[in-house]
Amino acid sequence: MDSKQFAEPVAAKPPTPVKIVIAGGFGVGKTTTVGAISEIKPLTTEAAMTSTGAAVDGTGGEVPSKTTTTVALDFGCITIDEEVKLYLFGTPGQDRFGFMWHDLVLGALGALVIVDTRRLDDCYPAVDYFEKAGLPFVVGVNIFDGSLKHDLEDVRWALAVSEDVPLITFDARQRLSVRDALLAVLHNTFRRASAVS
């Protein structure tokens, strides 16, 4: 009798989990980004915006159609291939929830910092955070209306990000566009790791 007939099947190795942070200011498209790509129903902590909260957060008329806001985090995941599975953690956008960023970033390999060029002032804190944290990040300009209002080099200059930080455009509503943005984050992380070693 051939002993190979009774050999235990080799279990497939599960994909390596990789944590990616989706960050940015209020209303830039973080929740939409996670929802567009996640292979599971995303966990969101959306709460209705109140007039009191809007006054505290200073969101006023910045995004008039926005009626909810993330108060803790967004979570989703996507399997890239048999070797890598991304776990996506979206940060809250308001300053008062900034204390949560440290915990959300802990253990992350990289970040996608989403920018709305209509409100660049709201983007500085997220860019500054990741520069100071030393975590590799990509700046993703979310194209809200299907067209780019500013040249990418003008955006780079306005945000004062160095040439070694990738600056891309993407549409947070489009699955393939979000996929390409996340792949840019992975490539940037691996490039930075290779440069260090």
Side-chain angles (χ1 to χ4, degrees), residues 42-103:
L43 166 70
T44 62
T45 57
E46 292 283 290
M49 291 179 59
T50 64
S51 56
T52 303
V56 169
D57 295 326
T59 56
E62 293 176 3
V63 189
S65 62
K66 190 161 173 58
T67 59
T68 61
T69 186
T70 301
V71 295
L73 66 110
D74 298 312
F75 173 78
C77 62
I78 180 70
T79 303
I80 298 295
D81 57 27
E82 61 276 355
E83 295 182 7
V84 177
K85 184 168 187 171
L86 299 184
Y87 291 88
L88 309 174
F89 289 79
T91 64
Q94 298 93 327
D95 290 342
R96 66 183 162 132
F97 298 121
F99 68 92
M100 299 182 67
W101 282 40
H102 175 72
D103 290 335

Side-chain angles (χ1 to χ4, degrees), residues 8 14 23-24 27 29 47 49 51 60 90 100 102 119 135 154 160 164 166 178 193 195:
E8 289 291 322
M49 291 179 59
S51 56
M100 299 182 67
H102 175 72
R119 299 178 292 118
L135 187 70
D154 292 339
D164 63 339
V178 172

Side-chain angles (χ1 to χ4, degrees), residues 2 11-12 26 30 47 51 62 72-73 76 93 98 101 103 119 128 140 168 175 186:
D2 188 355
F26 171 77
K30 300 178 297 293
S51 56
E62 293 176 3
L73 66 110
W101 282 40
D103 290 335
R119 299 178 292 118
D128 290 345
I168 62 169
R175 181 178 178 83
L186 287 178

